[in-house]
Coordinates of all heavy atoms in Angstrom, one line a residue:
M102 N 177.0 -21.5 66.7 CA 177.1 -20.1 66.2 C 177.7 -19.3 67.3 O 177.4 -19.4 68.5 CB 175.7 -19.6 65.9 CG 175.7 -18.2 65.2 SD 174.2 -17.9 64.4 CE 173.7 -16.3 65.1
M103 N 178.6 -18.3 66.9 CA 179.3 -17.5 67.9 C 178.2 -16.5 68.4 O 177.2 -16.1 67.7 CB 180.4 -16.7 67.2 CG 181.6 -17.5 66.8 SD 182.7 -16.5 65.9 CE 184.0 -16.5 67.1
N104 N 178.4 -16.1 69.7 CA 177.4 -15.1 70.2 C 177.8 -13.7 69.9 O 179.0 -13.4 69.4 CB 177.2 -15.3 71.7 CG 178.5 -15.1 72.5 OD1 179.3 -14.2 72.2 ND2 178.6 -15.8 73.6
C105 N 177.0 -12.8 70.2 CA 177.2 -11.4 69.8 C 178.5 -10.8 70.5 O 179.1 -10.0 69.9 CB 176.0 -10.5 70.2 SG 174.5 -11.0 69.2
K106 N 178.7 -11.2 71.7 CA 179.9 -10.7 72.3 C 181.2 -11.1 71.6 O 182.1 -10.3 71.4 CB 179.9 -11.2 73.8 CG 180.9 -10.6 74.7 CD 180.8 -11.1 76.1 CE 181.9 -10.4 77.0 NZ 181.8 -10.9 78.4
E107 N 181.2 -12.3 71.2 CA 182.4 -12.8 70.4 C 182.5 -12.1 69.0 O 183.6 -11.7 68.6 CB 182.3 -14.3 70.2 CG 182.5 -15.2 71.5 CD 182.0 -16.6 71.3 OE1 181.0 -16.8 70.7 OE2 182.8 -17.4 71.7
I108 N 181.3 -11.9 68.5 CA 181.3 -11.2 67.1 C 181.8 -9.8 67.2 O 182.5 -9.3 66.4 CB 179.9 -11.3 66.5 CG1 179.6 -12.8 66.2 CG2 179.8 -10.4 65.3 CD1 180.5 -13.4 65.2
S109 N 181.4 -9.1 68.3 CA 181.8 -7.7 68.5 C 183.3 -7.6 68.6 O 183.9 -6.7 68.2 CB 181.0 -7.0 69.6 OG 181.3 -7.6 70.9
R110 N 183.9 -8.6 69.4 CA 185.3 -8.7 69.5 C 186.0 -8.8 68.2 O 186.9 -8.1 67.8 CB 185.7 -9.9 70.5 CG 187.2 -9.9 70.7 CD 187.5 -11.0 71.7 NE 186.9 -12.4 71.3 CZ 187.4 -13.2 70.4 NH1 188.5 -12.9 69.7 NH2 186.9 -14.3 70.1
L111 N 185.5 -9.8 67.3 CA 186.0 -10.0 66.0 C 185.9 -8.8 65.1 O 186.7 -8.5 64.3 CB 185.4 -11.2 65.3 CG 185.8 -12.6 65.8 CD1 185.0 -13.7 65.0 CD2 187.3 -12.8 65.8
A112 N 184.7 -8.1 65.3 CA 184.5 -6.9 64.4 C 185.6 -5.9 64.7 O 185.9 -5.2 63.7 CB 183.1 -6.3 64.8
S113 N 186.1 -5.8 65.8 CA 187.2 -4.9 66.1 C 188.5 -5.5 65.7 O 189.4 -4.8 65.2 CB 187.1 -4.6 67.6 OG 188.2 -3.9 68.0
E114 N 188.7 -6.7 66.1 CA 190.1 -7.4 65.8 C 190.4 -7.5 64.3 O 191.5 -7.5 63.9 CB 190.1 -8.8 66.4 CG 190.3 -8.8 67.9 CD 190.4 -10.1 68.5 OE1 190.6 -11.1 67.8 OE2 190.3 -10.2 69.7
R115 N 189.3 -7.6 63.5 CA 189.6 -7.8 62.1 C 190.3 -6.5 61.5 O 190.8 -6.6 60.3 CB 188.3 -8.1 61.3 CG 187.4 -6.9 61.2 CD 186.0 -7.5 60.7 NE 185.1 -6.3 60.6 CZ 184.5 -5.9 59.5 NH1 184.7 -6.6 58.4 NH2 183.7 -4.9 59.5
F116 N 190.3 -5.4 62.2 CA 191.1 -4.3 61.7 C 192.5 -4.3 62.2 O 193.4 -3.6 61.6 CB 190.4 -2.9 62.2 CG 189.1 -2.7 61.6 CD1 188.0 -2.6 62.4 CD2 188.9 -2.6 60.2 CE1 186.7 -2.4 61.9 CE2 187.7 -2.3 59.7 CZ 186.6 -2.3 60.5
D117 N 192.8 -5.2 63.1 CA 194.2 -5.2 63.7 C 194.9 -6.5 63.3 O 196.1 -6.5 63.3 CB 194.1 -5.2 65.2 CG 193.4 -3.9 65.8 OD1 193.6 -2.9 65.2 OD2 192.7 -4.1 66.8
R118 N 194.2 -7.5 62.9 CA 194.9 -8.7 62.4 C 194.0 -9.4 61.4 O 192.8 -9.1 61.4 CB 195.1 -9.6 63.6 CG 193.8 -10.2 64.2 CD 194.2 -11.3 65.3 NE 193.0 -11.7 65.9 CZ 192.3 -12.8 65.5 NH1 192.7 -13.5 64.5 NH2 191.2 -13.2 66.1
E119 N 194.7 -10.2 60.6 CA 193.9 -11.0 59.6 C 193.2 -12.1 60.3 O 193.8 -12.9 61.0 CB 194.8 -11.5 58.5 CG 194.0 -12.0 57.3 CD 194.9 -12.4 56.1 OE1 196.0 -11.8 56.1 OE2 194.4 -13.2 55.4
L120 N 191.9 -12.2 60.2 CA 191.1 -13.3 60.8 C 191.4 -14.6 60.1 O 191.6 -14.6 58.9 CB 189.6 -13.0 60.9 CG 189.2 -11.7 61.5 CD1 187.7 -11.6 61.5 CD2 189.7 -11.6 63.0
G121 N 191.3 -15.7 60.8 CA 191.4 -17.0 60.1 C 190.2 -17.3 59.3 O 189.2 -16.6 59.4
L122 N 190.2 -18.3 58.5 CA 189.1 -18.7 57.6 C 187.9 -19.0 58.4 O 186.8 -18.5 58.1 CB 189.5 -19.9 56.7 CG 188.5 -20.3 55.7 CD1 188.1 -19.3 54.7 CD2 188.9 -21.7 55.1
L123 N 188.1 -19.8 59.4 CA 186.9 -20.2 60.2 C 186.3 -18.9 60.9 O 185.0 -18.8 61.0 CB 187.3 -21.2 61.3 CG 186.3 -22.1 61.8 CD1 185.6 -22.9 60.7 CD2 186.8 -23.0 62.9
E124 N 187.1 -18.0 61.5 CA 186.6 -16.8 62.1 C 185.8 -16.0 61.1 O 184.8 -15.4 61.4 CB 187.8 -16.0 62.7 CG 188.3 -16.5 63.9 CD 189.6 -15.7 64.4 OE1 190.4 -15.4 63.5 OE2 189.8 -15.5 65.6
R125 N 186.4 -15.8 59.9 CA 185.7 -15.0 58.9 C 184.4 -15.6 58.6 O 183.4 -14.9 58.4 CB 186.6 -14.9 57.6 CG 187.8 -14.0 57.7 CD 188.3 -13.5 56.4 NE 188.6 -14.6 55.4 CZ 189.8 -15.3 55.4 NH1 190.7 -14.9 56.2 NH2 189.9 -16.2 54.5
M126 N 184.3 -17.0 58.4 CA 183.1 -17.6 58.1 C 182.0 -17.4 59.2 O 180.9 -17.1 58.9 CB 183.3 -19.1 57.8 CG 183.9 -19.3 56.4 SD 184.5 -21.0 56.2 CE 182.9 -21.9 56.5
R127 N 182.5 -17.6 60.4 CA 181.5 -17.5 61.5 C 181.1 -16.0 61.6 O 179.9 -15.8 61.9 CB 182.2 -17.9 62.8 CG 182.4 -19.4 62.9 CD 183.2 -19.8 64.1 NE 183.1 -21.2 64.4 CZ 183.9 -21.9 65.1 NH1 184.8 -21.2 65.8 NH2 183.8 -23.2 65.3
F128 N 182.0 -15.1 61.5 CA 181.7 -13.7 61.5 C 180.6 -13.3 60.5 O 179.6 -12.8 60.8 CB 183.0 -12.9 61.3 CG 182.7 -11.4 61.3 CD1 182.6 -10.7 62.5 CD2 182.6 -10.6 60.1 CE1 182.4 -9.3 62.6 CE2 182.4 -9.3 60.2 CZ 182.2 -8.6 61.4
R129 N 180.8 -13.7 59.2 CA 179.9 -13.5 58.2 C 178.6 -14.1 58.4 O 177.5 -13.5 58.1 CB 180.4 -13.9 56.8 CG 181.5 -13.0 56.3 CD 181.9 -13.3 54.9 NE 183.0 -12.4 54.5 CZ 183.3 -12.2 53.3 NH1 182.7 -12.9 52.3 NH2 184.2 -11.3 53.0
M130 N 178.5 -15.3 58.8 CA 177.3 -16.0 59.1 C 176.5 -15.3 60.1 O 175.3 -15.1 60.0 CB 177.6 -17.5 59.5 CG 177.9 -18.4 58.5 SD 176.6 -18.7 57.3 CE 175.6 -19.8 58.2
H131 N 177.2 -14.9 61.2 CA 176.5 -14.3 62.3 C 175.9 -12.9 61.8 O 174.8 -12.6 62.1 CB 177.4 -14.1 63.5 CG 176.8 -13.5 64.7 ND1 176.3 -14.2 65.8 CD2 176.4 -12.2 65.0 CE1 175.7 -13.5 66.6 NE2 175.8 -12.2 66.2
V132 N 176.8 -12.2 61.2 CA 176.4 -10.9 60.7 C 175.2 -10.9 59.7 O 174.4 -10.0 59.7 CB 177.6 -10.1 60.2 CG1 177.3 -8.9 59.3 CG2 178.5 -9.6 61.3
L133 N 175.2 -11.9 58.9 CA 174.1 -12.1 58.0 C 172.7 -12.2 58.8 O 171.7 -11.8 58.3 CB 174.3 -13.3 57.1 CG 175.1 -13.2 55.9 CD1 175.2 -14.6 55.2 CD2 174.3 -12.2 55.0
M134 N 172.8 -12.9 59.9 CA 171.5 -13.2 60.6 C 171.2 -12.2 61.8 O 170.1 -12.2 62.3 CB 171.6 -14.6 61.2 CG 171.6 -15.7 60.1 SD 171.6 -17.3 60.8 CE 173.3 -17.4 61.2
C135 N 172.2 -11.5 62.2 CA 172.0 -10.6 63.4 C 172.2 -9.1 63.0 O 173.3 -8.7 62.7 CB 173.0 -11.0 64.5 SG 173.0 -9.9 65.9
H136 N 171.1 -8.4 63.0 CA 171.2 -7.0 62.5 C 171.9 -6.1 63.5 O 172.5 -5.1 63.1 CB 169.8 -6.5 62.1 CG 169.0 -6.1 63.3 ND1 168.1 -7.0 63.9 CD2 168.8 -4.9 63.9 CE1 167.5 -6.3 64.9 NE2 167.9 -5.1 64.9
H137 N 171.9 -6.5 64.8 CA 172.7 -5.7 65.8 C 174.2 -5.7 65.5 O 174.8 -4.7 65.5 CB 172.4 -6.2 67.2 CG 171.0 -6.2 67.6 ND1 170.3 -5.1 67.8 CD2 170.1 -7.2 67.8 CE1 169.1 -5.3 68.2 NE2 168.9 -6.7 68.2
C138 N 174.7 -6.9 65.3 CA 176.1 -7.0 65.0 C 176.4 -6.4 63.6 O 177.5 -5.8 63.4 CB 176.5 -8.5 65.1 SG 176.6 -9.0 66.7
R139 N 175.5 -6.6 62.6 CA 175.7 -6.0 61.3 C 175.9 -4.5 61.5 O 176.8 -3.9 60.9 CB 174.5 -6.4 60.4 CG 174.8 -6.1 59.0 CD 173.8 -6.8 58.1 NE 172.4 -6.6 58.4 CZ 171.5 -7.6 58.8 NH1 172.0 -8.8 58.8 NH2 170.2 -7.3 59.0
R140 N 175.0 -3.9 62.2 CA 175.0 -2.4 62.4 C 176.3 -2.0 63.2 O 177.0 -1.1 62.8 CB 173.8 -2.0 63.2 CG 173.8 -0.5 63.4 CD 172.6 -0.1 64.2 NE 171.3 -0.4 63.6 CZ 170.2 -0.6 64.3 NH1 170.2 -0.3 65.6 NH2 169.1 -0.9 63.6
Y141 N 176.7 -2.8 64.2 CA 177.9 -2.5 65.0 C 179.1 -2.6 64.0 O 180.0 -1.7 64.1 CB 178.0 -3.5 66.1 CG 179.2 -3.3 67.0 CD1 179.3 -2.2 67.8 CD2 180.3 -4.2 66.9 CE1 180.5 -2.0 68.6 CE2 181.4 -4.0 67.7 CZ 181.5 -2.9 68.5 OH 182.6 -2.7 69.3
A142 N 179.2 -3.7 63.3 CA 180.3 -3.8 62.4 C 180.4 -2.7 61.4 O 181.5 -2.2 61.1 CB 180.3 -5.1 61.6
R143 N 179.2 -2.2 60.9 CA 179.2 -1.1 59.9 C 179.7 0.2 60.6 O 180.4 1.0 60.0 CB 177.8 -1.0 59.4 CG 177.7 -1.0 57.9 CD 176.3 -0.7 57.4 NE 175.6 -1.9 57.1 CZ 174.3 -2.1 57.2 NH1 173.6 -1.1 57.8 NH2 173.7 -3.2 56.9
Q144 N 179.2 0.4 61.8 CA 179.6 1.6 62.5 C 181.1 1.7 62.8 O 181.7 2.7 62.7 CB 178.8 1.7 63.8 CG 177.3 2.1 63.6 CD 176.5 2.1 64.8 OE1 176.9 1.5 65.9 NE2 175.3 2.7 64.8
L145 N 181.6 0.5 63.2 CA 183.1 0.5 63.5 C 183.9 0.8 62.2 O 184.8 1.5 62.2 CB 183.5 -1.0 63.9 CG 183.5 -1.3 65.4 CD1 184.1 -2.7 65.6 CD2 184.1 -0.2 66.2
A146 N 183.4 0.2 61.1 CA 184.1 0.5 59.8 C 184.0 2.0 59.4 O 185.0 2.6 59.0 CB 183.5 -0.4 58.7
F147 N 182.8 2.5 59.7 CA 182.6 4.0 59.4 C 183.5 4.8 60.3 O 184.2 5.7 59.8 CB 181.2 4.3 59.7 CG 180.9 5.8 59.6 CD1 180.7 6.5 58.4 CD2 180.9 6.6 60.8 CE1 180.5 7.9 58.4 CE2 180.6 7.9 60.8 CZ 180.5 8.6 59.6
L148 N 183.6 4.5 61.6 CA 184.5 5.3 62.5 C 185.9 5.1 62.1 O 186.7 6.1 62.1 CB 184.3 4.7 63.9 CG 183.2 5.3 64.7 CD1 183.1 4.6 66.1 CD2 183.3 6.8 64.9
R149 N 186.3 4.0 61.7 CA 187.7 3.8 61.3 C 188.1 4.6 60.1 O 189.1 5.3 60.1 CB 188.0 2.3 61.0 CG 189.4 2.0 60.7 CD 189.5 0.5 60.4 NE 190.8 0.2 59.8 CZ 191.9 0.0 60.5 NH1 191.9 0.0 61.8 NH2 193.0 -0.3 59.9
R150 N 187.1 4.6 59.1 CA 187.4 5.4 57.9 C 187.4 6.9 58.3 O 188.3 7.6 57.8 CB 186.3 5.3 56.9 CG 186.4 4.0 56.0 CD 185.6 4.0 54.8 NE 184.2 4.3 55.1 CZ 183.2 3.4 55.5 NH1 183.6 2.1 55.5 NH2 182.0 3.7 55.8
A151 N 186.5 7.4 59.1 CA 186.4 8.7 59.6 C 187.7 9.2 60.3 O 188.3 10.3 60.0 CB 185.2 9.0 60.4
I152 N 188.2 8.4 61.2 CA 189.4 8.7 61.9 C 190.6 8.8 61.0 O 191.5 9.6 61.1 CB 189.6 7.7 63.1 CG1 188.6 7.9 64.1 CG2 191.0 7.8 63.6 CD1 188.5 6.8 65.2
R153 N 190.6 7.8 60.1 CA 191.8 7.8 59.1 C 191.8 9.1 58.2 O 192.8 9.7 58.0 CB 191.7 6.6 58.2 CG 192.1 5.4 58.9 CD 192.5 4.3 58.0 NE 193.3 3.3 58.8 CZ 193.9 2.4 58.3 NH1 193.8 2.1 57.0 NH2 194.7 1.6 59.0
R154 N 190.5 9.5 57.8 CA 190.4 10.7 57.0 C 190.8 11.9 57.8 O 191.5 12.8 57.3 CB 189.0 10.9 56.5 CG 188.8 10.5 55.0 CD 187.5 10.8 54.5 NE 186.8 9.5 54.2 CZ 185.6 9.2 54.3 NH1 184.8 10.1 54.9 NH2 185.2 8.1 53.9
L155 N 190.4 11.9 59.1 CA 190.7 13.1 59.9 C 192.2 13.2 60.2 O 192.8 14.2 60.1 CB 189.9 12.9 61.2 CG 190.0 14.0 62.3 CD1 189.4 15.3 61.6 CD2 189.4 13.6 63.6
A156 N 192.8 12.0 60.4 CA 194.3 12.0 60.6 C 195.0 12.5 59.3 O 195.9 13.3 59.4 CB 194.7 10.6 61.0
A157 N 194.5 12.0 58.2 CA 195.2 12.5 56.9 C 195.0 14.0 56.7 O 195.9 14.6 56.3 CB 194.5 11.7 55.8
A158 N 193.8 14.5 57.0 CA 193.5 15.9 56.9 C 194.4 16.7 57.8 O 194.9 17.7 57.5 CB 192.0 16.2 57.1
R159 N 194.5 16.2 59.0 CA 195.3 16.9 60.0 C 196.8 17.0 59.6 O 197.5 18.0 59.8 CB 195.3 16.2 61.4 CG 194.0 16.5 62.2 CD 194.0 15.9 63.5 NE 194.9 16.5 64.4 CZ 194.6 17.4 65.3 NH1 193.4 17.8 65.4 NH2 195.5 18.0 66.1
A160 N 197.2 15.9 59.0 CA 198.7 15.8 58.6 C 198.9 16.8 57.4 O 200.1 17.2 57.3 CB 199.0 14.4 58.2
T161 N 198.0 17.1 56.6 CA 198.2 17.9 55.4 C 197.8 19.3 55.6 O 198.0 20.2 54.7 CB 197.5 17.3 54.2 OG1 196.1 17.3 54.4 CG2 198.0 16.0 53.8
R162 N 197.1 19.7 56.6 CA 196.5 21.0 56.7 C 197.5 22.1 57.1 O 198.6 21.7 57.6 CB 195.3 21.1 57.7 CG 195.7 21.1 59.1 CD 194.6 21.3 60.0 NE 195.1 21.3 61.3 CZ 194.3 21.2 62.4 NH1 193.0 21.1 62.3 NH2 194.8 21.2 63.6
G163 N 197.2 23.3 56.9 CA 198.1 24.4 57.1 C 198.3 24.8 58.5 O 198.2 23.9 59.4
P164 N 198.5 26.1 58.8 CA 198.8 26.5 60.2 C 197.7 26.2 61.1 O 196.5 26.2 60.8 CB 199.0 28.0 60.0 CG 198.6 28.4 58.7 CD 198.4 27.1 57.9
R165 N 198.0 25.8 62.4 CA 197.0 25.5 63.4 C 196.5 26.8 64.0 O 197.0 27.9 63.8 CB 197.6 24.6 64.4 CG 198.4 23.5 63.8 CD 198.9 22.5 64.8 NE 197.8 21.6 65.1 CZ 198.0 20.6 65.9 NH1 199.1 20.2 66.4 NH2 196.9 19.7 66.1
L166 N 195.5 26.6 64.9 CA 195.0 27.8 65.6 C 196.1 28.4 66.4 O 196.9 27.7 67.0 CB 193.8 27.4 66.5 CG 192.5 27.0 65.8 CD1 191.5 26.5 66.9 CD2 191.9 28.2 65.1
S167 N 196.0 29.7 66.6 CA 197.0 30.4 67.5 C 196.6 30.1 68.9 O 195.5 29.6 69.2 CB 196.8 31.9 67.3 OG 195.6 32.4 67.7
A168 N 197.6 30.3 69.8 CA 197.4 30.0 71.2 C 196.2 30.9 71.7 O 195.4 30.4 72.5 CB 198.6 30.3 72.0
E169 N 196.1 32.1 71.2 CA 195.0 33.0 71.7 C 193.7 32.4 71.3 O 192.7 32.4 72.1 CB 195.2 34.4 71.1 CG 196.4 35.2 71.6 CD 197.6 34.8 70.8 OE1 197.6 34.0 69.9 OE2 198.7 35.4 71.2
A170 N 193.6 31.9 70.1 CA 192.3 31.4 69.6 C 191.9 30.1 70.4 O 190.8 29.9 70.8 CB 192.4 31.1 68.1
R171 N 192.9 29.3 70.7 CA 192.6 28.1 71.5 C 192.1 28.5 72.8 O 191.2 27.9 73.4 CB 193.9 27.2 71.6 CG 194.1 26.4 70.3 CD 195.0 25.2 70.5 NE 196.3 25.6 71.0 CZ 197.4 25.9 70.3 NH1 197.3 25.8 69.0 NH2 198.5 26.3 70.7
A172 N 192.8 29.4 73.5 CA 192.4 29.9 74.8 C 191.0 30.4 74.8 O 190.1 30.2 75.7 CB 193.4 30.9 75.4
R173 N 190.6 31.2 73.8 CA 189.3 31.8 73.6 C 188.3 30.7 73.5 O 187.2 30.8 74.2 CB 189.3 32.7 72.4 CG 188.2 33.8 72.4 CD 188.5 34.9 71.4 NE 188.7 34.3 70.0 CZ 189.7 34.6 69.3 NH1 190.7 35.3 69.7 NH2 189.8 34.1 68.0
I174 N 188.5 29.7 72.7 CA 187.5 28.6 72.5 C 187.4 27.8 73.8 O 186.3 27.5 74.2 CB 188.0 27.7 71.4 CG1 187.9 28.4 70.0 CG2 187.2 26.4 71.4 CD1 188.5 27.7 68.9
A175 N 188.5 27.6 74.5 CA 188.5 26.9 75.8 C 187.6 27.7 76.8 O 186.8 27.1 77.5 CB 189.9 26.6 76.3
R176 N 187.8 29.0 76.8 CA 187.0 29.8 77.8 C 185.5 29.7 77.4 O 184.7 29.6 78.3 CB 187.5 31.3 77.7 CG 188.6 31.6 78.6 CD 188.9 33.0 78.8 NE 188.9 33.8 77.6 CZ 190.0 34.0 76.9 NH1 191.2 33.5 77.3 NH2 190.0 34.8 75.8
R177 N 185.2 29.8 76.1 CA 183.8 29.6 75.7 C 183.2 28.3 76.1 O 182.1 28.2 76.5 CB 183.7 29.8 74.2 CG 183.8 31.3 73.7 CD 182.5 32.0 74.1 NE 182.5 33.4 73.6 CZ 182.0 33.7 72.4 NH1 181.5 32.8 71.6 NH2 182.0 34.9 72.0
L178 N 184.0 27.3 75.9 CA 183.5 25.9 76.2 C 183.3 25.8 77.7 O 182.3 25.2 78.1 CB 184.5 24.8 75.7 CG 184.5 24.6 74.3 CD1 185.6 23.6 73.9 CD2 183.2 24.1 73.8
D179 N 184.2 26.4 78.5 CA 184.0 26.4 79.9 C 182.7 27.0 80.3 O 181.9 26.6 81.1 CB 185.2 27.1 80.7 CG 186.3 26.2 80.8 OD1 186.2 24.9 80.6 OD2 187.4 26.7 81.1
T180 N 182.5 28.2 79.8 CA 181.3 28.9 80.1 C 180.0 28.1 79.6 O 179.0 28.1 80.4 CB 181.3 30.3 79.2 OG1 182.5 31.0 79.5 CG2 180.1 31.2 79.7
A181 N 180.1 27.5 78.5 CA 179.0 26.7 78.0 C 178.6 25.6 78.9 O 177.4 25.3 79.1 CB 179.2 26.3 76.5
T182 N 179.6 24.9 79.5 CA 179.3 23.8 80.3 C 178.9 24.2 81.7 O 178.2 23.4 82.3 CB 180.6 22.8 80.4 OG1 181.7 23.6 80.8 CG2 180.9 22.1 79.1
Q183 N 179.3 25.4 82.1 CA 178.8 25.9 83.4 C 177.4 26.4 83.3 O 176.6 26.3 84.4 CB 179.7 27.0 83.9 CG 181.1 26.6 84.4 CD 182.1 27.7 84.5 OE1 181.8 28.9 84.3 NE2 183.4 27.3 84.6
D184 N 177.0 27.0 82.2 CA 175.7 27.5 82.1 C 175.0 27.0 80.8 O 174.9 27.7 79.8 CB 175.8 29.1 82.0 CG 174.4 29.7 82.0 OD1 173.4 29.0 82.4 OD2 174.3 30.8 81.6
P185 N 174.6 25.6 80.9 CA 174.1 25.1 79.6 C 172.6 25.6 79.3 O 171.8 25.6 80.3 CB 174.1 23.6 79.9 CG 174.0 23.5 81.4 CD 174.6 24.7 82.0
R186 N 172.4 25.9 78.1 CA 171.0 26.4 77.8 C 170.6 25.9 76.4 O 171.4 25.8 75.5 CB 171.0 27.9 77.8 CG 169.9 28.3 78.8 CD 169.9 29.9 79.0 NE 171.1 30.3 79.6 CZ 171.4 31.6 79.8 NH1 170.7 32.5 79.3 NH2 172.5 32.0 80.4
Ligands
ZN926 ZN1 174.9 -10.6 67.0

């Protein structure tokens, strides 16, 4: 059986390339038995979907914030990190 380190690598790689039959079987077997890897694989899939949705939303949305608004937010963030409460 593959260990968790190998499985976490496959969990990521399966989004970049098609896994071989043996890899897919080993991955599924491991994930069935290991809730840590199951959770990790689920979180990766969730993140990937969220990032894709965000990218799609960014591509279709209207005007962006003005330079003034961005500067104002940046100043507020600076203040917040200097004086956290
Ligand atoms: Zn595992």
Side-chain angles (χ1 to χ4, degrees):
M102 188 161 127
M103 292 174 112
N104 66 32
C105 294
K106 193 175 178 181
E107 293 167 313
I108 293 302
S109 64
R110 181 179 52 79
L111 284 185
S113 170
E114 282 183 16
R115 72 194 177 119
F116 294 118
D117 301 325
R118 67 176 175 90
E119 193 173 335
L120 302 183
L122 180 62
L123 204 58
E124 284 176 320
R125 286 201 308 272
M126 283 171 56
R127 286 174 170 165
F128 180 81
R129 283 189 181 197
M130 283 297 283
H131 185 99
V132 163
L133 272 176
M134 289 181 284
C135 176
H136 76 275
H137 300 292
C138 287
R139 192 161 56 240
R140 184 181 300 157
Y141 180 70
R143 237 186 259 146
Q144 287 173 344
L145 272 189
F147 170 82
L148 276 177
R149 185 180 166 85
R150 279 195 309 274
I152 289 167
R153 290 199 155 186
R154 254 185 246 141
L155 185 64
R159 283 183 71 98
T161 58
R162 76 175 181 191
R165 314 185 79 171
L166 288 175
S167 68
E169 291 85 3
R171 281 199 299 271
R173 200 164 57 237
I174 290 170
R176 278 196 304 275
R177 282 288 185 89
L178 286 174
D179 279 348
T180 310
T182 51
Q183 283 162 11
D184 184 19
R186 238 174 292 171

